[in-house]
Amino acid sequence: MARAEWGFNGRGKWCSYKRTTLIICTINIGVALYVLRSLYTSLYTYPYNDSQNAGFTYTPDQIRKMEELIRIRKASEPIELVKLVKKIKKELSSEERVFELPQHLKQKITDEILERLRRLNANANISEQQEAVENWRKEKLKEAKHLTRGKTLNSSILPEEAGMLARALKSNWAKLSEEIGLWMPVEIINEEHDDKPEGAEEFEEEILPGRRLPPECHTELHTDYDGSAVRWGLTHHKESAYECCQACLGHARGAKPGEKKCNIWVYCPSETGCYSPDIYEHKLGECWLKYAEKPRLNFKDQYSESYRNSHPNAPLIVPWVSGVVSS
């Protein structure tokens, strides 16, 4: 084996290639172990590094504390409460969902309500009308529930329609009433001092909100009469049907010779406005004063199915209130 000789002050030391190679290998192994340890540390701390501070590494003690905090946070989460809140939200959303009824079922509902109202006396007041409609709703709801439970009844409702009808009558009755055009006047009860003189004549029962309409107004609910306008309703608003009727009577009394005298009044009592086939938007309080030599009905009680097919925005029930007075 070849040898190399180094000399210093006359003394010599021999070093073989084998020993040199061993030293170099040892150094290389040390460097490799250091590099591997650095890579392992950087990979272990990567999930906890901020994206903007990628060069920063946490100590093992900091990592342990963060893991402990994450475990505590997960353990303290109100899992049952979260589940309960999600369940309540789901129930509320299902209740708020509007169940759209087919047109033929809406028509059937409208016919039955109108038939129930026609059975009342001609002098039935608002409370009696409201009670009749509410009794019908309860009876129909009970009938629909029986059908959904599989009970056989002599009913005009199809079993497959019973479920959606029950939901509409129970949770979405107000929405359904609006869709079919059912408007029931609200009875206003005012407490007044009983200072009327003895023997004074009692007024008739209220028909519409506001003051009682006298017999000469000939008030008809869910009715729209045709005629030439002597006062344009879009710019002529009144607080109640009573005031609209009085406006018509006053116009007739004050008309000059040869002028058309109002003998028809048409009033919109609905808070959501009243439908009309023209291009205008008719709002609560509109009071149309009209004249016709021979008053003729435009619509009565409800719009026909053929009319609604050609006018999709039309409700089922006529929302207007009218009266034909003596000119």
Side-chain angles (χ1 to χ4, degrees), residues 40 105 118 134 168 180 197 212 229 263 270 314 325:
Y40 174 79
L105 190 54
R118 290 191 186 102
E134 181 62 19
I180 66 175
R212 297 176 177 85
N263 64 346
S270 175
V325 299

Side-chain angles (χ1 to χ4, degrees), residues 45-104:
T45 59
Y46 173 77
Y48 305 96
N49 288 337
D50 186 79
S51 58
Q52 297 179 351
N53 301 305
F56 179 78
T57 57
Y58 293 98
T59 64
D61 184 60
Q62 290 175 324
I63 295 172
R64 182 184 58 78
K65 289 181 179 180
M66 284 189 288
E67 290 176 342
E68 181 67 16
L69 289 174
I70 293 173
R71 185 189 63 78
I72 294 173
R73 181 174 57 82
K74 289 183 177 180
S76 62
E77 287 181 354
I79 298 176
E80 295 299 325
L81 180 60
V82 171
K83 290 181 179 179
L84 181 61
V85 171
K86 289 181 179 179
K87 182 179 179 181
I88 294 174
K89 285 184 177 179
K90 186 177 180 181
E91 292 176 355
L92 290 176
S93 62
S94 63
E95 289 180 0
E96 293 174 355
R97 192 183 309 147
V98 176
F99 298 94
E100 183 67 24
L101 297 181
Q103 188 65 27
H104 74 275

Side-chain angles (χ1 to χ4, degrees), residues 175-202:
K175 178 68 175 178
L176 179 59
S177 300
E178 182 180 345
E179 288 181 356
I180 66 175
L182 175 63
W183 172 81
M184 294 298 294
V186 179
E187 186 173 18
I188 300 176
I189 302 175
N190 296 319
E191 294 184 3
E192 298 179 356
H193 295 289
D194 189 11
D195 54 359
K196 181 168 76 260
E198 291 185 7
E201 187 177 350
E202 294 286 344

